Amino acid sequence: MTDNALTTIPPRKLWLRALLMLLMCVAFQLATWVLVAVALLQLAFAIFTDEPNARLQTFGRSVGRYLAQIAAFVSFATEATPFPFSDWPAGDL
């Protein structure tokens, strides 16, 4: 017996999921650039103040979790849709 996820999803729902996957791929690209900006800001803080900014650490962690949620959704590892269809992931430990 094979466990094929595509055979259990109705065709109409599969088209909706495909559209959501495309939107999530665009969101992934945007979030990647936001994470790059956070990394550069953190580098500047570390150079000038000798320590990273705590708020940027928390935000960077939440962006990383968001990227992980998108990757899980587009790879069919989960059916949970990431932000903006659910809450933004927490950045705390």
Side-chain angles (χ1 to χ4, degrees):
M1 182 171 144
T2 60
D3 190 20
N4 188 350
L6 294 179
T7 60
T8 62
I9 299 174
R12 185 174 191 164
K13 187 174 179 184
L14 187 60
W15 281 106
L16 177 60
R17 184 177 175 92
L19 178 62
L20 289 174
M21 288 172 64
L22 181 63
L23 291 173
M24 289 294 103
C25 286
V26 171
F28 189 93
Q29 291 299 317
L30 292 172
T32 300
W33 282 108
V34 169
L35 188 59
V36 167
V38 168
L40 292 174
L41 284 171
Q42 280 292 49
L43 180 61
F45 270 104
I47 289 171
F48 294 112
T49 66
D50 291 332
E51 62 184 38
N53 181 287
R55 287 184 179 175
L56 284 177
Q57 281 179 326
T58 302
F59 181 66
R61 193 176 301 116
S62 69
V63 172
R65 289 181 179 156
Y66 179 58
L67 291 170
Q69 287 177 354
I70 292 173
F73 179 73
V74 299
S75 66
F76 284 80
T78 183
E79 291 295 316
T81 51
F83 178 84
F85 304 103
S86 63
D87 292 336
W88 181 260
D92 52 356
L93 292 175

